[in-house]
């Protein structure tokens, strides 16, 4: 992930080419891959938003109550956990 502007780039190493580039509204704090490949990703951003991206772009965007510090996916139940500044887990 990068800054100025915040963006995500995915590269194909075998072909030495860039698959795609996505620009976001705010700086990325953490990233979680929701599948084994690049097609589904979740980002926790510095402005307290959680963005879920599909293959075609932004799928869903929501705001968490506190600033997010980390994000984790529990694959057995398909739960996405976001922990913030306080003791709560969302």
């Amino acid at each position: 992930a990068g800054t100025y502007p915040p963006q995500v780039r995915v590269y194909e190493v075998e072909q030495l080419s860039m698959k795609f580039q996505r620009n976001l509204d705010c700086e990325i704090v953490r990233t979680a891959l929701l599948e084994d490949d690049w097609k589904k990703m979740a980002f926790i951003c510095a402005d307290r938003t959680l963005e879920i991206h599909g293959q075609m772009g932004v799928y869903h965007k929501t705001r968490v109550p506190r600033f997010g510090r980390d994000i984790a996916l529990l694959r057995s139940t398909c739960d996405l956990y976001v922990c913030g500044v306080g003791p709560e887990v969302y």
Side-chain angles (χ1 to χ4, degrees), residues 14 31 78 90:
E14 292 177 0
T31 303
C78 296
Y90 308 104

Side-chain angles (χ1 to χ4, degrees), residues 40-83:
K40 292 182 184 175
M41 298 179 286
F43 304 105
I44 187 77
C45 298
D47 64 348
R48 296 177 20 196
T49 58
L50 173 67
E51 292 190 17
I52 298 174
H53 287 240
Q55 186 174 0
M56 300 303 226
V58 178
Y59 178 74
H60 186 73
K61 186 187 288 190
T62 189
R63 194 170 165 113
V64 292
R66 298 191 183 233
F67 290 102
R69 296 286 186 209
D70 203 2
I71 186 173
L73 175 69
L74 184 60
R75 291 186 188 270
S76 62
T77 59
C78 296
D79 289 333
L80 188 65
Y81 293 106
V82 178
C83 62

Side-chain angles (χ1 to χ4, degrees), residues 10-67:
V10 174
Y11 293 94
E12 178 71 40
V13 179
E14 292 177 0
Q15 297 178 2
L16 298 174
S17 63
M18 184 170 64
K19 281 190 149 313
F20 66 87
Q21 170 183 337
R22 294 209 182 124
N23 294 328
L24 287 91
D25 296 332
C26 189
E27 183 181 351
I28 299 169
V29 177
R30 291 281 184 208
T31 303
L33 294 175
L34 304 180
E35 286 190 350
D36 293 332
D37 56 1
W38 54 270
K39 294 181 182 176
K40 292 182 184 175
M41 298 179 286
F43 304 105
I44 187 77
C45 298
D47 64 348
R48 296 177 20 196
T49 58
L50 173 67
E51 292 190 17
I52 298 174
H53 287 240
Q55 186 174 0
M56 300 303 226
V58 178
Y59 178 74
H60 186 73
K61 186 187 288 190
T62 189
R63 194 170 165 113
V64 292
R66 298 191 183 233
F67 290 102

